[in-house]
Amino acid sequence: MVERKGIGHPDSLADLIAEEFSRRYSLHGLDRFGAVPNHWVDKVALVGAEAEVGFGGYTIRKPISAYLFGKVTRAVGNETLPIEDLFRATVEYVLVEATGCEQIADRVRIFVENTAGVGVDHPPSFYRPSTDKECRIATVGALANDTAFCSAYSPADPLDVLAIDVENHVNGAPFRNALSGLGSDVKVMLTRSVDVLKSTVCLPVCPQAVGSHHEYTALVSEAYERLDAFINAHPVVRQHSWLTRLSVNTKDHGRSAYLAPFGTSLGKGDCGLVGRGNRANGVISARGGAGVEALSGKNPIHHTGKLYTLAAARLAERIHTKLGVPNEVVLVSRNGDRLEDPSFVGVRFTQRDSPPDHKAIEELAAAAMAELPLLSERLLALSPIERFRDPSLVLEV
């Protein structure tokens, strides 16, 4: 069983906003101070609009609310950081880019709840730096900022690949241009029992695009035919000779319809929270080893919930690529320990055909941990939206 929430799902939007804000804030700090000021904003919340929706249009009675919750350095010395401006620009950019609907940016309210206090676990300058030098978190010799375990597996399950490809296909320009009126808040659920693959896909329709239930049904039916053909022609399905069963918009009974202002259920009251969306590998899987840490909005310099999850994915992928061994990797951090020295590194082999090469695995693990500064740099260089569409991008060095 594998699920993928589409790019326009409220939980996906919350993840993308938190990650894009952290990236912009980090780059702003590097540009002004030569360093990434302390922050973590992995609690972004989106509250959906109150709307009246019908065939042919909708009315927004109360706008979307976007909340930034977290600890953010407000100033370095006398130089303040434009937190509210950065957050507003981030929210508007992500919502428009992810949904493809420019009108959504005009229906959002912004709230920033910054909890930038001072604790005794760090010097006061960590939270309220007075100089550029004081706001620098060392990328070499950095200390872990959390006690957490992070896990990953390789290779990807065939259903992982299929779920990502189906969602990207439905939200891709060719599919949506051919079927004008479809939104981006897609959900894909795949279940396989022996050789039967059941696919359930939720496809939102913009209310103004269909003037009647008949027009809605015609649009969804055409989308069904195109999607069914795509799934049956996909290399994963053809390679395994699975029998396929596709269901689309299963809540549609009688006059019911999945109509969503702006193409997302965020436009009709649904809410989004960081951490409820896809995992780092792009899916939500019933398979073990997928991890539960929320990456989005965590500090890219020293927060292990982000760095160890991605390092575990890199290590698992390299063990499989170089040694040909399917595996699961677990990395454990302890708050205050050296970042490059996890308290536990575990590798579990899903097949036991031959004894593992312990020395080779230890060398690969050491190399993966030594690359954490490079991973931080790559996180700052990559667009979160591009990473959403292709989760493997961040695994490249």
Side-chain angles (χ1 to χ4, degrees):
M1 288 165 280
V2 175
E3 174 186 355
R4 177 165 166 90
K5 294 181 178 180
I7 197 168
H9 189 285
D11 292 330
S12 300
L13 295 172
D15 281 340
L16 288 167
I17 288 170
E19 190 69 346
E20 180 66 15
F21 174 83
S22 172
R23 177 172 173 263
R24 292 188 181 203
Y25 179 86
S26 299
L27 292 173
H28 184 85
L30 286 167
D31 183 57
R32 286 184 63 180
F33 312 115
V36 175
N38 174 55
H39 73 282
W40 57 91
V41 290
D42 54 353
K43 302 295 186 293
V44 164
L46 300 175
V47 179
E50 180 182 317
E52 294 183 9
V53 183
F55 295 106
Y58 60 88
T59 301
I60 301 296
R61 300 298 185 191
K62 181 180 177 183
I64 297 164
S65 297
Y67 291 86
L68 179 73
F69 298 121
K71 187 170 286 189
V72 186
T73 301
R74 296 190 180 104
V76 177
N78 295 323
E79 293 194 58
T80 59
L81 289 114
I83 297 171
E84 286 78 9
D85 291 345
L86 282 171
F87 186 55
R88 178 175 294 280
T90 297
V91 170
E92 292 178 355
Y93 164 76
V94 168
L95 291 182
V96 171
E97 185 71 17
T99 66
C101 178
E102 294 185 1
Q103 292 75 23
I104 194 172
D106 300 325
R107 300 304 185 108
V108 184
R109 302 181 300 178
I110 303 297
F111 302 90
V112 174
E113 186 62 42
N114 187 354
T115 58
V118 174
V120 295
D121 53 339
H122 293 284
S125 60
F126 178 81
Y127 299 103
R128 294 175 182 169
S130 58
T131 65
D132 296 5
K133 184 177 181 180
E134 286 183 346
C135 80
R136 291 175 187 163
I137 302 170
T139 55
V140 178
L143 302 182
N145 199 42
D146 197 6
T147 298
F149 79 87
C150 305
S151 55
Y153 59 83
S154 185
D157 188 272
L159 289 196
D160 297 353
V161 176
L162 181 60
I164 293 171
D165 287 352
V166 168
E167 189 269 326
N168 278 331
H169 177 69
V170 172
N171 270 324
F175 194 88
R176 290 179 63 178
N177 289 343
L179 298 167
S180 178
L182 290 182
S184 60
D185 188 358
V186 175
K187 180 179 282 189
V188 178
M189 179 70 74
L190 305 178
T191 64
R192 183 181 63 82
S193 179
V194 192
D195 61 351
V196 177
L197 171 70
K198 294 183 179 180
S199 306
T200 302
V201 181
C202 302
L203 295 175
V205 175
C206 298
Q208 69 275 18
V210 288
S212 65
H213 188 267
H214 175 74
E215 291 181 12
Y216 169 84
T217 301
L219 179 60
V220 172
S221 295
E222 185 176 354
Y224 175 97
E225 296 298 330
R226 291 172 179 266
L227 187 53
D228 189 52
F230 176 80
I231 291 172
N232 280 291
H234 195 280
V236 164
V237 175
R238 294 175 66 87
Q239 179 182 354
H240 294 87
S241 300
W242 291 330
L243 300 174
T244 64
R245 303 286 185 269
L246 173 63
S247 299
V248 174
N249 291 10
T250 54
K251 194 179 180 180
D252 288 356
H253 300 290
R255 300 281 296 176
S256 296
Y258 182 13
L259 300 179
F262 319 120
T264 170
S265 55
L266 187 66
K268 62 181 186 72
D270 281 7
C271 301
L273 293 170
V274 167
R276 289 176 50 85
N278 305 319
R279 305 294 92 187
N281 62 348
V283 298
I284 304 166
S285 174
R287 175 176 173 178
V292 297
E293 279 289 325
L295 278 68
S296 299
K298 284 182 166 62
N299 193 303
I301 304 300
H302 67 165
H303 211 300
T304 53
K306 172 177 284 183
L307 294 174
Y308 275 25
T309 295
L310 298 175
R314 279 181 163 180
L315 178 55
E317 191 271 337
R318 288 173 183 174
I319 291 173
H320 178 251
T321 300
K322 296 182 181 298
L323 305 182
V325 183
N327 68 95
E328 297 175 3
V329 169
V330 177
L331 301 177
V332 179
S333 69
R334 297 188 305 188
N335 206 338
D337 281 358
R338 291 177 65 86
L339 189 62
E340 72 273 15
D341 187 18
S343 66
F344 177 81
V345 179
V347 180
R348 178 165 53 198
F349 303 102
T350 54
Q351 298 174 3
R352 285 298 187 117
D353 298 333
S354 59
D357 187 338
H358 289 284
K359 187 174 187 299
I361 292 171
E362 289 174 358
E363 291 175 352
L364 290 172
M369 301 313 296
E371 290 171 354
L372 290 181
L374 296 177
L375 181 55
S376 296
E377 292 177 9
R378 186 148 183 82
L379 284 166
L380 295 177
L382 285 172
S383 159
I385 286 181
E386 291 305 307
R387 284 168 46 205
F388 183 94
R389 293 177 175 138
D390 183 358
S392 68
L393 286 175
V394 78
L395 301 182
E396 300 171 5
V397 179

